Amino acid sequence: MPKLTRRGFIAATCAAGATRALPTLTTRLAPHLGGKRILTLVYDKSLGAMRAVERLVP
């Protein structure tokens, strides 16, 4: 577990929130881009578990 300072914790929290909110914002603000979302499950060896990968295909 990394040792985080208060400033580091706030930065990490904001970065995590931005990565979750940006895809939703881009589809809401630019609906004309369209495309199809493809969700794929992949095995991540470093995690030792399955992970979901979402792609936008035009």
Side-chain angles (χ1 to χ4, degrees), residues 18-58:
T19 57
R20 290 189 59 134
L22 278 178
T24 307
L25 273 174
T26 55
T27 56
R28 207 176 284 160
L29 294 177
H32 63 279
L33 294 177
K36 185 185 220 180
R37 291 182 177 267
I38 297 180
L39 183 67
T40 308
L41 290 175
V42 295
Y43 184 75
D44 193 345
K45 290 181 183 178
S46 63
L47 289 175
M50 297 296 283
R51 185 168 58 98
V53 176
E54 188 176 16
R55 292 186 300 147
L56 187 64
V57 178

